[in-house]
Amino acid sequence: KVYKNIEDGTRALISKNMLFESDSWMLKVVQLYETSLVRHGFMLVGPTLCGKTEIAQVLTTCMTNDGNAHRTVIMNPKAITDSQMYGVKDPVSEEWTPGVFASIWQRYNNRSLKYTTWIICDGPVDAIWIENLNTVLDDNKILTLANNDRIPMTDNCKIVFEVQDLRNASPATVSRAGIIYVSAS
């Protein structure tokens, strides 16, 4: 299928950003676009420096330029602990401290926002933190926290994983997400 606005917009951004245009790279932009139309969670898989970030940035900029405003929020889940990511309950005071991801999730899953947000988890998959996102990736689309807060995903939000491989991802996680493989060549 041909997506004229996406392909023309991508070519314009490639020229503007002084990138090298190749058919295989354009194909990955189109594949990511098609995946984003049918999935709310998807994974860009490939080695470091293969262009995963640039593909996502070019596509979201292209969609914004086409009148469908997009923003990206990028974090590395492996840079913080599980409790820093989702939140932790103090055992003494029983006070809840929300985590970084939980705060981002709550802020951008808001129907009143006039743009679509891609929350991008850029870093290695870890079975501990990604398993907690299975309820987000499945049809429930709900982030459930340890304090029993349930934060639903809205239609103007997508969750994206930029990873080198899926070695530590369970079949349950992989089966819930759209996968786009970007090779080094």
Side-chain angles (χ1 to χ4, degrees):
K1 188 169 179 178
V2 175
Y3 301 97
K4 184 165 175 38
N5 291 356
I6 296 300
E7 291 178 18
D8 291 347
T10 299
R11 284 190 183 89
L13 288 168
I14 286 171
S15 176
K16 179 184 173 193
N17 296 341
M18 295 187 290
L19 300 172
F20 175 75
E21 181 180 341
S22 73
D23 290 341
S24 61
W25 201 82
M26 284 291 292
L27 176 63
K28 294 304 168 184
V29 173
V30 170
Q31 286 176 347
L32 180 59
Y33 177 67
E34 289 176 333
T35 303
S36 74
L37 294 176
V38 296
R39 298 280 191 150
H40 59 276
F42 36 93
M43 299 182 176
L44 281 163
V45 182
T48 303
L49 298 174
C50 69
K52 299 183 299 282
T53 301
E54 197 65 38
I55 288 168
Q57 293 298 333
V58 164
L59 178 58
T60 54
T61 302
C62 183
M63 289 189 289
T64 297
N65 294 345
D66 196 37
N68 184 6
H70 276 67
R71 296 196 181 159
T72 57
V73 177
I74 303 171
M75 69 169 290
N76 181 349
K78 286 294 283 183
I80 55 178
T81 65
D82 188 44
S83 59
Q84 290 170 327
M85 183 158 169
Y86 295 111
V88 64
K89 189 175 191 177
D90 185 283
V92 177
S93 69
E94 295 195 13
E95 183 178 328
W96 175 256
T97 303
V100 174
F101 182 84
S103 297
I104 290 170
W105 188 258
Q106 190 157 26
R107 178 176 179 185
Y108 292 103
N109 277 284
N110 180 346
R111 285 182 178 84
S112 67
L113 297 177
K114 304 290 184 227
Y115 52 85
T116 299
T117 304
W118 285 16
I119 300 173
I120 301 175
C121 295
D122 186 356
V125 170
D126 182 309
I128 296 168
W129 68 260
I130 202 157
E131 289 300 317
N132 291 326
L133 295 177
N134 281 347
T135 57
V136 169
L137 292 171
D138 66 19
D139 291 338
N140 293 321
K141 296 192 205 179
I142 294 175
L143 177 65
T144 304
L145 302 173
N147 67 345
N148 291 324
D149 277 358
R150 295 168 51 89
I151 308 168
M153 184 179 212
T154 57
D155 292 335
N156 62 337
C157 191
K158 306 276 185 188
I159 184 159
V160 185
F161 303 94
E162 269 191 51
V163 298
Q164 182 168 332
D165 57 54
L166 299 172
R167 188 175 305 132
N168 294 322
S170 72
T173 302
V174 173
S175 67
R176 288 172 165 89
I179 309 287
I180 298 100
Y181 181 74
V182 183
S183 70
S185 58

